[in-house]
C-alpha cells in the first residue's frame, strides 16, 4: 500500500524480496517506493501513479529495482488508486517479476533478426541460381536452333518451359 505521494504505508515480504530490500529497511509512512527503484524507473513510476489516479482503474508499467547488481530484475507494477472515503485514498501496487519473460522476448527478437538476415541471403542466392539456370536453358535452346539451321540433330533434350 502507498499513499498518493508514493510513500509506502505497508509492504509484504514478497515485495521486499522483489525490490531487493529487507523489510526492516522499509519504514511505513516514511520510505518512498521510488527510493527503492533504479533511476531510469523514477519517471515511469510517477507516471504509473498519475495514470492510476486519473483513470481510477488498474494500470501497469515496467520498473527496475535499484539493487540487483549485474542481473537487474524487471518488474511489472500494476497499480490502482483506492478511495476509502472522501478524505482517504491510497495506492495498491502488485509487483510481478517478469525478468525471464523480458529476456526471452529479447532473445526472440534477436533470433528473428538473425532469421530475417538468413532469409534475405537465401533469397538473394535463390535469385542468382534461378537466373543462372534460366540463362542455361536459353543457351541450350539457342544451340539447338543453330544445330537445326545447320541440319544437325539437337544436342540437348527439351527442358523446362518452351
Amino acid at each position: 500500500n502507498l499513499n498518493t505521494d508514493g510513500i509506502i504505508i505497508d509492504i509484504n515480504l514478497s515485495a521486499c524480496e522483489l525490490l531487493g530490500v529487507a523489510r526492516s529497511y522499509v519504514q511505513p509512512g516514511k520510505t518512498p517506493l521510488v527510493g527503492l527503484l533504479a533511476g531510469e524507473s523514477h519517471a515511469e513510476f510517477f507516471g504509473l501513479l498519475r495514470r492510476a489516479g486519473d483513470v481510477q482503474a488498474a494500470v501497469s508499467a515496467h520498473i527496475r529495482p535499484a539493487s540487483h547488481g549485474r542481473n537487474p530484475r524487471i518488474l511489472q507494477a500494476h497499480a490502482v488508486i483506492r478511495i476509502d472515503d472522501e478524505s482517504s485514498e491510497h495506492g495498491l501496487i502488485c509487483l510481478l517479476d517478469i525478468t525471464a519473460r523480458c529476456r526471452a522476448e529479447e532473445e526472440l527478437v534477436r533470433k528473428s533478426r538473425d532469421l530475417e538476415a538468413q532469409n534475405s541471403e537465401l533469397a538473394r542466392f535463390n535469385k542468382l541460381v534461378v537466373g543462372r539456370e534460366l540463362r542455361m536453358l536459353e543457351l541450350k535452346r539457342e544451340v539447338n536452333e543453330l544445330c537445326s539451321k545447320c541440319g544437325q540433330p539437337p544436342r540437348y533434350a527439351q527442358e523446362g518451359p518452351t
Side-chain angles (χ1 to χ4, degrees):
N1 289 335
L2 305 174
N3 68 16
T4 54
D5 296 324
I7 304 296
I8 297 171
I9 297 168
D10 187 28
I11 189 167
N12 63 30
L13 292 175
S14 296
C16 288
E17 182 183 327
L18 288 173
L19 292 167
V21 297
R23 190 160 190 207
S24 59
Y25 176 80
V26 179
Q27 298 177 4
K30 295 182 181 177
T31 305
L33 181 59
V34 73
L36 305 178
L37 303 178
E40 68 267 14
S41 291
H42 291 184
E44 189 69 33
F45 172 72
F46 284 118
L48 175 74
L49 286 182
R50 187 178 54 256
R51 286 192 321 274
D54 289 348
V55 298
Q56 296 291 314
V59 294
S60 67
H62 293 181
I63 58 174
R64 294 178 184 265
S67 61
H68 272 289
R70 298 180 73 184
N71 295 315
R73 287 183 175 173
I74 302 168
L75 305 178
Q76 186 167 29
H78 298 276
V80 64
I81 299 295
R82 194 168 115 186
I83 301 172
D84 291 333
D85 56 43
E86 300 261 338
S87 63
S88 174
E89 67 178 43
H90 61 277
L92 298 173
I93 304 275
C94 175
L95 299 174
L96 300 171
D97 187 346
I98 59 168
T99 307
R101 186 185 86 194
C102 288
R103 290 197 177 124
E105 287 173 357
E106 290 168 1
E107 181 67 14
L108 283 173
V109 167
R110 187 188 65 73
K111 285 184 178 185
S112 177
R113 274 193 231 116
D114 291 348
L115 288 172
E116 285 174 9
Q118 289 175 357
N119 189 45
S120 176
E121 181 66 24
L122 284 172
R124 190 177 69 78
F125 177 76
N126 185 50
K127 185 177 177 181
L128 290 172
V129 169
V130 169
R132 178 186 173 275
E133 187 61 27
L134 290 174
R135 179 67 178 139
M136 291 298 293
L137 291 172
E138 185 180 315
L139 289 172
K140 286 179 180 180
R141 268 195 296 276
E142 285 181 27
V143 168
N144 284 345
E145 285 175 16
L146 290 172
C147 285
S148 68
K149 285 182 183 178
C150 295
Q152 297 179 4
R155 288 193 183 170
Y156 303 102
Q158 193 67 20
E159 295 180 17
T162 53

